[in-house]
Amino acid sequence: MTVVTELRIALTVDDFDAAVALYRDALGLAQLEDWSSDRGRVLLLDAGRATLELFDAAQAAMVDDVEVGRRVSGPVRFALRVADADATAAALVRAGASEVAPAAVTPWGDRNARVAAPDGMQLTLFSAAEVS
């Protein structure tokens, strides 16, 4: 059996500087490596623990409906756990993202906000429900 030890997402963007400003500078993903060369630019950013969520079309539509009110996301959407979904969404909008939907409480108790990065990637920012 193969054991995966790391999930790494390779995101190709048209505006590298805008992506760095959003993901590293505004969102706070720590820079682990800079493998840029005269052939191209690449940064490795630490996004914490990684998981892979597999959705069917019906579930993706349900999540879009809960977070946005209509079907808007493509086949890939980042979901990032943050301490404060509202504050993080506001910081990302100031850094060049666009608001897709303001934060709302989900049926499962999390507080989720949706923004779109300048490259079009949709990001769900979620603050986990307090467990009592």
Side-chain angles (χ1 to χ4, degrees), residues 89 93 97-103 114-116:
V93 168
S98 57
E99 181 182 83
V100 176
R114 182 81 68 93
V115 300

Side-chain angles (χ1 to χ4, degrees), residues 55-70:
F55 284 30
D56 65 10
Q59 180 67 17
M62 187 279 292
V63 170
D64 274 359
D65 187 54
V66 165
E67 293 181 0
V68 182
R70 66 190 188 288

Side-chain angles (χ1 to χ4, degrees), residues 55-126:
F55 284 30
D56 65 10
Q59 180 67 17
M62 187 279 292
V63 170
D64 274 359
D65 187 54
V66 165
E67 293 181 0
V68 182
R70 66 190 188 288
R71 184 77 171 111
V72 294
S73 65
V76 177
R77 173 181 48 83
F78 291 164
L80 305 166
R81 184 177 187 165
V82 297
D84 184 330
D86 298 83
T88 303
L92 294 183
V93 168
R94 286 191 303 274
S98 57
E99 181 182 83
V100 176
V105 176
T106 66
W108 46 94
D110 291 350
R111 185 154 179 86
N112 291 16
R114 182 81 68 93
V115 300
D119 58 30
M121 177 61 68
Q122 288 200 13
L123 310 173
T124 292
L125 306 165
F126 70 97

Side-chain angles (χ1 to χ4, degrees), residues 20-43:
V20 171
L22 185 87
Y23 293 107
R24 185 191 66 193
D25 302 339
L27 191 56
L29 300 183
Q31 181 175 317
L32 299 176
E33 298 287 343
D34 182 344
W35 294 318
S36 300
S37 71
D38 59 350
R39 298 192 63 185
R41 297 169 70 189
V42 59
L43 294 180

